[in-house]
Amino acid sequence: MPAKIHISVNGEFCDKEGNVIQLRGVNLDPSIKIPARPFLPTHTPIVDDKFFEDADKVSFINHPLILENVEEHIIRLKSLGYNTIRLPFTWESLEHAGPGQYDYDYMDYIVEVLTRINSVEQGMYVYLDPHQDVWSRFSGGSGAPLWTLYCAGFQPANFQATDAAIIHNYYIDPKTGREIGKDEESYPKMVWPTNYFKLACQTMFTLFFGGKQFAPKCIINGENIQDYLQGKFSDAIMTLYARIKDKAPELFDNNCIIGLESVNEPNCGYMGEANLDVVPKERDLKLGRTPTAFQSFMLGEGIKCTVEQYKRTFFGFTKGKPCTVNPGGKKAWLNAQERDTIDAKYNWERNPEWEPETCIWKLHGVWENNQTRGPVLLKPDYFGQVNETVFINNHFVEYYTGIYNKFRAVDKESFIFLQPPVMKLPPNLQNSKLLDDRTVCACHFYDGMTLMYKTWNKRIGIDTYGLVNKKYSNPAFAVVLGENNIRKCIRKQLAEMQKDAKSALGQKVPVFFTEIGIPFDMDDKKAYTTNDYSSQIGALDALGFALEGNNLSYTLWCYCSINSHEWGDNWNNEDFSIWSPDDKPLYRENRSKTPTRAPSPTSTTDSVSTSKSKSSSSSQPPSFIQLESNLDLDSPSCSLETDLSGYRALDAIMRPFPIKIYGTFEFAEFNLHNRTYVLKLVGKTGTTAVPTHIFLPRHHFALEHLSIRSSSGHYTYNADYQVLEWFHEPGHQYIEIRLKSKYRCSTAGSDDSNDLPAECVIS
């Protein structure tokens, strides 16, 4: 079983002896965003009201994985050397039938998925992620059940007419099952600005985090809607967590489950908007119809508005032709009859002041529809008193306090992953009781240029983190030129995110990138017909370069078991999966074979020892592979079985890395072009009988052609696990591993093309 993970005094993951451990893996998997029965991807057309009427009857069982296929997928992930899984689940999957009505069958299915993951040899580390995007799939995202929108008084069936949210299902032709059109208007691109700044999403997040301050009239069953929603959400999460502990305690005893994340990508809603009558200047990302907050309020009440539209160009997001949106008499809010029916169904009693068919923000005096003057904005700065820092350190911390206390009441040993808003500073919790020695800071990073333009631009890049956090007096200063500088800029951004997080939470808190990745449908999906993944390799290699240079643990977004070239990850045309069943036929047969097992541990054939004196500087390739039966592989880094079929951009995602360092980390870098790996560390004082373990994949390093140079020590290699053991001396040490020059074959601009020399093919 995997070793228990601890946190060092320097805020690094380590084993009980203090040896530094690096965690890397994937999010498994985004299929949890959509129901499995009936199967409702975002390309399922909405043809009648049953999409909403039957929302309480869905089941998510078999998402993320069909039980019979769990081992197959885990073996495939372990073939990359991965040892960690972020397991997302949604609030909707647990409580879709109504508040307090839990889907225990789904919870038991999750227990079985985890049990099967744990049963694979050497196991995997797993942490749980209560996932959401843009609040709910009924507001164009994923996460919360439909009844939460009814709770706020919304009528989601009218979101399309009132532009309160864009739901891709409306843009699919029921007859053909295809997109109605390819242009922005007929089939809008679903990127974060599309829905995060619409009425439904912004209102729900404002109510969830700030209802008591900004919507005091929204009382339901004697509670403000903020407390009601937060309480139901955290209760659902902890019901699942407690059920796992009760039904499968071995998952915790065996160190399979290592913790729980607070919530995926919290959002401040309207809080912080200084003027509701304008689109904030600092909102750099604008795409498609972009109403002001006030215009959203009016549209929600059925009032026709002309709103700005933005389109994406090479030079960024530019203003296009305005668009008039006419709700046609529909409102985004439940009328009296609809609300009475809903309230009776869910046993809700509302504050008498909470009028039906009325915008919540009109109810609270933010605006009015004057009989003489028409719509009038009365309090343009209603939400302006709360800026970003206040939101994170007060409203978000209030939520975090609730989930933290409930989690620690059930589990005092596992990690809690505190996730602040994306690319923002976490709350300053130093000297707070909320910060314990099992706290991890969860960060997300996506390169802005790669994400928005879906290509790997080798000429122009942007310091996304610096731009988001206003570290430049002029946005032009955030531009970087040239591929090498872009790669260095990404590495610098991750280093700054780590530094900023530790400045708020303290040096003892590890920083873990729980989401990082790239879209695979780059360059108009060219790779799916040419099998040329050079753009994807370049972008992923840049992320790998940045992560390993900062010794950062991470879980890539994502691995999707039902990915397809046509529909990507089956949700809003996202296509981030590093694996696809559609890519399996492209995998050459000689690469798909399971590597030959090592000789019996009792065999000593061709086993000798190599060593390198500290004073020597010459390159000394090993003339052997020593196979040992008693390797101390505490970290579940590899599997005896391997399967690399179906991976895209395999060159970039399969990388050498230090599984466990006998000492502390200084520096690491994998040069994909030169097939060279360098690791620098500070070895512990004491015995040299304990090695540093390095995952060294045969995919990049054909063993018979290796050249290894190190400052001291000797090495052994376990062929089953593809793990190099380096027995080094104390103090500053380095090891350089490379293929001899005549055997280097692939570059960051190619993806294992069919003309590779035989020596570079897994045998």
Side-chain angles (χ1 to χ4, degrees), residues 398-410:
E398 182 179 358
Y399 162 76
Y400 181 74
T401 301
I403 193 70
Y404 173 87
N405 289 335
K406 288 182 179 180
F407 177 66
R408 283 292 176 238
V410 173

Side-chain angles (χ1 to χ4, degrees), residues 621-622 625 701-707 739-740 743 758-761 763:
I625 297 300
F701 297 98
L703 306 179
E704 62 271 31
H705 305 304
L706 277 186
S707 171
L739 284 181
K740 296 177 184 178
Y743 297 111
E759 292 84 358
C760 295
V761 176
S763 60

Side-chain angles (χ1 to χ4, degrees), residues 237-254:
I237 294 169
M238 294 316 305
T239 298
L240 170 65
Y241 198 85
R243 195 170 182 88
I244 297 170
K245 285 187 72 75
D246 179 59
K247 294 226 167 196
E250 68 276 8
L251 295 173
F252 298 85
D253 297 337
N254 294 345

Side-chain angles (χ1 to χ4, degrees), residues 357-431:
E357 206 170 2
T358 302
C359 172
I360 280 177
W361 309 121
K362 188 169 80 171
L363 183 72
H364 287 87
V366 179
W367 69 287
E368 67 176 4
N369 194 4
N370 189 280
Q371 290 184 346
T372 304
R373 296 184 294 164
V376 179
L377 183 61
L378 303 174
K379 300 176 181 177
D381 61 346
Y382 185 68
F383 303 102
Q385 57 192 292
V386 175
N387 60 27
E388 182 180 280
T389 302
V390 171
F391 168 75
I392 292 173
N393 284 278
N394 292 272
H395 301 80
F396 171 74
V397 167
E398 182 179 358
Y399 162 76
Y400 181 74
T401 301
I403 193 70
Y404 173 87
N405 289 335
K406 288 182 179 180
F407 177 66
R408 283 292 176 238
V410 173
D411 190 331
K412 291 181 169 56
E413 293 296 319
S414 299
F415 296 125
I416 184 163
F417 292 77
L418 183 159
Q419 185 181 158
V422 179
M423 291 196 187
K424 299 297 183 181
L425 284 173
N428 191 335
L429 294 180
Q430 295 189 67
N431 303 317

Side-chain angles (χ1 to χ4, degrees), residues 91 95-102 145 147-148 151 220-221 228-229 232 342 345-348:
W91 185 2
E95 204 175 6
H96 48 81
Q101 300 179 51
Y102 298 129
W147 61 260
T148 62
C151 183
I220 193 160
N221 290 359
Y228 184 83
L229 290 174
K232 294 300 181 185
I342 290 290
K345 178 178 181 178
Y346 297 124
N347 296 312
W348 286 335

Side-chain angles (χ1 to χ4, degrees), residues 614 662 682-688 712 728-733:
K614 206 168 186 178
Y662 185 58
V682 179
K684 279 187 178 181
T685 302
T687 178
T688 58
S712 70
H728 52 77
E729 296 180 6
H732 293 273
Q733 306 292 331

Side-chain angles (χ1 to χ4, degrees), residues 499-534:
K499 179 183 176 183
D500 289 347
K502 286 182 175 288
S503 70
L505 298 174
Q507 295 301 312
K508 294 183 179 180
V509 175
V511 173
F512 191 121
F513 279 77
T514 60
E515 276 191 34
I516 188 167
I518 60 133
F520 274 83
D521 54 341
M522 288 183 171
D523 308 321
D524 295 321
K525 300 187 178 183
K526 181 179 73 173
Y528 299 161
T529 55
T530 65
N531 195 26
D532 176 8
Y533 281 92
S534 54

Side-chain angles (χ1 to χ4, degrees), residues 87-235:
L87 191 73
F89 64 91
T90 63
W91 185 2
E92 184 187 8
S93 68
L94 306 180
E95 204 175 6
H96 48 81
Q101 300 179 51
Y102 298 129
D103 189 337
Y104 291 110
D105 289 339
Y106 181 75
M107 294 183 186
D108 292 342
Y109 154 79
I110 290 294
V111 172
E112 182 62 25
V113 169
L114 291 165
T115 300
R116 292 187 181 222
I117 291 172
N118 185 51
S119 70
V120 176
E121 184 174 352
Q122 295 282 340
M124 294 282 272
Y125 295 120
V126 179
Y127 64 103
L128 305 178
D129 157 40
H131 203 83
Q132 74 79 34
D133 312 274
V134 199
W135 187 261
S136 169
R137 68 187 177 95
F138 302 98
S139 53
S142 70
L146 177 63
W147 61 260
T148 62
L149 291 155
Y150 290 145
C151 183
F154 275 126
Q155 173 48 284
N158 292 341
F159 283 172
Q160 179 74 1
T162 57
D163 201 37
I166 290 177
I167 302 173
H168 256 180
N169 307 72
Y170 280 114
Y171 295 87
I172 303 296
D173 188 335
K175 295 180 180 178
T176 65
R178 307 294 307 144
E179 303 101 322
I180 291 174
K182 291 292 186 179
D183 59 86
E184 294 280 0
E185 180 60 30
S186 58
Y187 191 70
K189 299 294 183 186
M190 194 68 78
V191 294
W192 299 120
T194 310
N195 270 323
Y196 257 117
F197 301 109
K198 300 284 188 181
L199 174 67
C201 177
Q202 289 212 282
T203 295
M204 291 309 301
F205 274 111
T206 305
L207 296 176
F208 186 81
F209 286 112
K212 288 185 290 188
Q213 180 175 354
F214 295 105
K217 295 180 180 179
C218 292
I219 305 297
I220 193 160
N221 290 359
E223 290 185 285
N224 183 269
I225 192 169
Q226 174 185 332
D227 293 330
Y228 184 83
L229 290 174
Q230 286 191 19
K232 294 300 181 185
F233 180 52
S234 58
D235 283 350

